[in-house]
Amino acid sequence: MQFPSDDSRSRRLNQRAQRVLPGGNTRTTVFMKPYPIYAAYGKGCRVWDVDGVERIDCTNNFTAAIHGYAHPELIRAAQSQLNLGTAFGLPTLSEIELAELLVERVASVEHCRFVNSGTEAVMSAIKAARAYTGKPKIAKCEGAYHGTYDYAEVSLDSQPGAWGAEAPASIAYAAGTPQAVMDDVIVIPFNQTERAVEILRAHASELAGILVDPMPHRAGLVPADPGYMTALREVASECRALLIVDEVIAFRLGFGGAQPFWNVAADLTVFGKIIGGGFPVGAVGGRRDVMQVFDPSHGKPQLPQGGTFSANPMSMRCGLAAMRLLQPDSFQQLAALGEQMRAGISAAFRRTRLAGQTTGMGSLLKIHFTDTSITDYRSALPTAEMKQKSERLSALLLNEGVLLGSSGLMALSTPMTSGDADQIISAVERALQRLL
Ligand code: PMP
């Protein structure tokens, strides 16, 4: 069945959804015109929609489904925990085991705590930085996405009209964000080391933490320059602020996460997505003395934190199973597939003579409809025409058997083969030809 289609079940489901969900939608990220396709089931790296159409999934639930769908080990983990109970008002062995795995794999993590989403984990890390330092402000990179905590959203989509010669302004993302939130967020440019350091130094006395994703997807999915990460590490220490590295997505880059690629050690690291094995999850981990802010063993902690479903054994058990499946060679294989895809799609752009390129690293890549060099949020910000091409591309790919979000972000999964990658590259090339 072609997309869109008048007699599609997805269309009918969306009409039904419109009656009870605003715009028929629960996640803005899956919104699609004229209607989104609805998933029926997934197996390996493929997803079938409610009309029975099969597609290779390059979205993988926004990078979370690193093993694709219905992996036998994950089914086993989920089923055995289901038989035992899904969440208790008591801690379980499973949270210790997942914490041990993170502490073993990530050099800068000595203690960690679990929550239910990356958003919550970012919020916990920001609050921990404030509690630990006694200072109020957080710095973040312009255009970088860190979930939906008010402070983390500031300047997520700042537009050229607001780009003066001065430091990037703190701009509200969501309507209703109080001015006080903007006042406590310092926005720094990504990959402009000197400028970022200068801005941070000017706020040293109020700066609690610097939040950075070393390869922010909404800011272009370009890796941070090595010097940029080193400088943020140094200036954080100099300002007695914490370096908070957001690895909610970047943790899929390597066995020890992202930090070894930049040779930096965070004070706090934020996790999510792949560490839940397909179930909701988030975690914040880091230096033992910093993580003490959560410690209730001497009375009320500086930062009390609960969460009805935090560290629930479904997420912990499946997360543990998913993480154990990921061994050093898994990351090598994923990176090789990523290279194949980046090279193949770049070649498809050259053959079709359309302006375009791919960015990314390891199992992550992003398609941009421009030939100009992308280094940060501003250079990655698509024009209306480029945005339209990205949206057209993902719609065309739906009819070429490939699922890709309109942001152009692709995340590969362990069940994908080199043959699947070739299939995706050919589908992209056919779709690009139709964009000419
Ligand atoms: N940080 C980053 C870098 C993310 O990409 C995301 C989600 N895509 C989040 C935080 C928030 O995670 P969640 O959607 O689980 O709240």
Side-chain angles (χ1 to χ4, degrees):
M1 173 175 291
Q2 290 288 296
F3 174 85
S5 177
D6 282 346
D7 55 355
S8 144
R9 284 192 179 155
S10 284
R11 186 190 282 278
R12 286 202 294 280
L13 281 183
N14 191 240
Q15 283 160 354
R16 186 169 152 194
Q18 308 268 357
R19 292 199 281 272
V20 284
L21 300 161
N25 176 265
T26 275
R27 294 192 281 173
T28 315
T29 40
V30 301
F31 181 77
M32 190 166 187
K33 281 183 177 169
Y35 59 85
I37 54 161
Y38 284 70
Y41 61 93
K43 179 107 190 99
C45 65
R46 289 175 165 75
V47 169
W48 283 257
D49 72 12
V50 289
D51 288 298
V53 180
E54 171 186 335
R55 296 182 182 90
I56 304 184
D57 189 358
C58 293
T59 301
N60 282 301
N61 195 21
F62 301 99
T63 80
I66 197 162
H67 297 300
Y69 304 97
H71 190 292
E73 289 287 327
L74 302 189
I75 293 176
R76 208 167 303 136
Q79 280 176 342
S80 57
Q81 188 60 48
L82 272 176
N83 285 322
L84 300 172
T86 58
F88 308 94
L90 295 168
T92 63
L93 167 65
S94 61
E95 77 184 70
I96 307 174
E97 290 183 324
L98 188 55
E100 283 169 349
L101 182 140
L102 292 175
V103 168
E104 265 162 38
R105 290 197 183 188
V106 185
S108 64
V109 172
E110 292 177 306
H111 274 178
C112 75
R113 254 187 171 226
F114 295 102
V115 287
N116 295 298
S117 67
T119 291
E120 248 186 287
V122 166
M123 178 179 77
S124 300
I126 289 176
K127 290 171 76 173
R130 293 185 195 129
Y132 182 79
T133 62
K135 298 193 271 180
K137 295 195 177 178
I138 289 293
K140 65 154 293 196
C141 296
E142 186 175 44
Y145 184 69
H146 299 282
T148 56
Y149 183 40
D150 305 39
Y151 297 85
E153 278 185 338
V154 170
S155 292
L156 178 54
D157 67 349
S158 86
Q159 295 298 310
W163 298 350
E166 297 300 309
S170 293
I171 297 165
Y173 176 64
T177 309
Q179 183 56 43
V181 168
M182 267 69 80
D183 294 344
D184 277 335
V185 177
I186 299 151
V187 182
I188 54 173
F190 184 69
N191 266 349
Q192 288 181 40
T193 306
E194 274 175 37
R195 193 78 189 95
V197 167
E198 196 185 345
I199 296 167
L200 293 165
R201 280 199 179 127
H203 293 274
S205 64
E206 298 171 303
L207 189 63
I210 305 170
L211 174 64
V212 62
D213 175 344
M215 193 166 70
H217 57 103
R218 295 242 193 137
L221 201 79
V222 273
D225 294 337
Y228 185 75
M229 290 300 285
T230 313
L232 293 191
R233 173 63 278 174
E234 285 169 6
V235 77
S237 304
E238 181 192 311
C239 299
R240 298 197 313 102
L242 302 184
L243 180 69
I244 307 168
V245 175
D246 183 340
E247 295 206 21
V248 168
I249 286 186
F251 194 48
R252 59 154 54 229
L253 287 178
F255 186 74
Q259 288 160 50
F261 289 92
W262 282 270
N263 201 18
V264 289
D267 298 305
L268 289 176
T269 304
V270 183
F271 305 93
K273 311 246 189 201
I274 65 167
I275 69 160
F279 286 84
V281 83
V284 53
R287 270 169 43 195
R288 185 187 302 260
D289 62 323
V290 176
M291 293 297 290
Q292 288 288 306
V293 298
F294 294 106
D295 180 357
S297 55
H298 306 289
K300 181 188 162 192
Q302 282 173 285
L303 185 52
Q305 183 224 13
T308 307
F309 290 99
S310 292
N312 75 79
M314 288 303 296
S315 300
M316 298 295 105
R317 277 274 156 248
C318 294
L320 198 60
M323 291 308 299
R324 282 180 179 155
L325 284 169
L326 291 170
Q327 292 303 315
D329 62 331
S330 326
F331 293 96
Q332 280 161 13
Q333 279 158 23
L334 283 167
L337 266 187
E339 276 313 309
Q340 182 186 346
M341 294 265 291
R342 280 183 289 274
I345 294 172
S346 301
F349 269 111
R350 284 194 299 275
R351 278 193 294 272
T352 51
R353 294 180 195 280
L354 266 173
Q357 62 184 296
T358 57
T359 54
M361 224 172 105
S363 60
L364 295 162
L365 60 141
K366 189 162 179 163
I367 297 176
H368 304 264
F369 282 93
T370 175
D371 279 337
T372 49
S373 157
I374 294 173
T375 54
D376 60 5
Y377 170 71
R378 294 187 183 189
S379 52
L381 191 69
T383 60
E385 193 197 331
M386 294 191 286
K387 216 170 158 193
Q388 201 195 2
K389 280 195 179 136
S390 292
E391 282 165 13
R392 280 278 295 142
L393 176 70
S394 49
L396 286 166
L397 283 175
L398 286 181
N399 291 332
E400 296 286 352
V402 172
L403 198 58
L404 170 70
S406 62
S407 73
L409 176 67
M410 287 191 177
L412 310 183
S413 61
T414 56
M416 272 186 189
T417 63
S418 170
D420 295 320
D422 281 336
Q423 217 174 309
I424 299 164
I425 295 164
S426 308
V428 170
E429 180 152 358
R430 285 193 301 275
L432 291 180
Q433 272 155 0
R434 298 194 54 193
L435 278 177
L436 284 172

